[in-house]
Amino acid sequence: MAGGGTAAAQLYNPATNAWKAAGSMSTARLDPAAALLPDGDVLVTGGNAAGGGAALASAELYDPATGKWTTTGSMTDARYGATATVLPDGTVLAAGGCSSCGNQPALSSAEVFNNGFWFPVHSMTQPRVFQTATALPGGSVLAAGGGPTYYAAGASTAEVFTPVVMSVNPASGPAGTQVTVTGSGLYAGETVTLYWDGLTVLGHVKTTATGSFRTTITIPQATAGAHVIAARGRHSFAGTNATFTVTG
């Protein structure tokens, strides 16, 4: 548990029915959003500054193995009353909330946290603050309710976010392997750039009318082990990663 207008955090042990201190965040936060990452770390994002200050864009990670907090990349938008939802690839979707709360419009924007960086993705169809977000079995996220402003009544509407999905086949092999890369969830007709370990451009491909793509790349010379193939849309800025293991 973290936030509540302070920087303090606590851990609850159900076996002993007891709480203990879990270090302090770098920033005091009121009602931040939090998500449990696949590696066991906890991502805490946004919230309101202590004492009723402005919404926060900053984020930090809690490592339960060390009991320490470290700052990570800040969101594009400051968000109070937002949601943070883990996607199937281990990235985190932050959506909605408000930056200038009060009677100002809430946010419809959304962004994805990936390895310390935030990337904008498709916006919701309407502004929402204090909405709910539920991860669905197929990997989509259901956003429901929330108000158009901080003081407004909650909406009865709901919508579904479909994340960018990508797969590689095969997923391992030596340098020079021909790999088929398929993906979906991007803008229709946009150019997608494929990267190797975030630096080397492997190629470009244009999506279909449904926002999907399929292409073949050649694995470059690289050290043995796991490497990242990333896809990023030129207009949507949406993207995702897949792992390829170089053998031999």
Side-chain angles (χ1 to χ4, degrees):
M1 181 176 68
T6 73
Q10 300 181 55
L11 285 173
Y12 174 71
N13 186 339
T16 61
N17 192 31
W19 291 86
K20 69 175 184 178
S24 293
M25 296 182 290
S26 61
T27 302
R29 302 171 187 274
L30 176 66
D31 293 337
L36 177 62
L37 305 183
D39 64 2
D41 286 359
V42 177
L43 173 69
V44 173
T45 66
N48 224 39
L56 300 170
S58 60
E60 43 197 303
L61 292 164
Y62 175 73
D63 183 347
T66 63
K68 294 182 178 179
W69 293 87
T70 56
T71 57
T72 187
S74 293
M75 296 182 289
T76 304
D77 291 313
R79 299 179 187 274
Y80 172 59
T83 53
T85 311
V86 179
L87 301 176
D89 62 358
T91 60
V92 178
L93 172 70
C98 57
S99 294
S100 299
C101 299
N103 287 317
Q104 298 299 312
L107 298 170
S108 60
S109 63
E111 49 194 302
V112 165
F113 176 80
N114 188 355
N115 292 323
F117 297 94
W118 293 89
F119 301 95
V121 293
H122 305 302
S123 294
M124 295 185 290
T125 60
Q126 65 185 76
R128 299 178 187 272
V129 58
F130 299 122
Q131 75 278 8
T132 62
T134 305
L136 303 179
S140 297
V141 177
L142 173 67
T149 69
Y150 181 87
Y151 292 113
S156 60
T157 57
E159 53 191 292
V160 173
F161 170 81
T162 301
V164 177
V165 176
M166 184 177 73
S167 63
V168 295
N169 184 35
S172 64
T177 299
Q178 296 289 296
V179 175
T180 299
V181 183
T182 57
S184 61
L186 295 138
Y187 284 171
E190 75 170 322
T191 298
V192 176
T193 303
L194 299 173
Y195 298 92
W196 177 258
D197 285 341
L199 299 173
T200 304
V201 175
L202 295 173
H204 306 275
V205 60
K206 183 163 285 191
T207 61
T208 66
T210 60
S212 63
F213 70 87
R214 180 185 180 91
T215 190
T216 300
I217 60 170
T218 301
I219 299 301
Q221 291 294 326
T223 57
H227 295 265
V228 176
I229 298 173
R232 190 75 55 205
R234 180 173 296 176
H235 297 297
S236 65
F237 298 104
T240 189
N241 301 331
T243 301
F244 184 90
T245 302
V246 175
T247 59

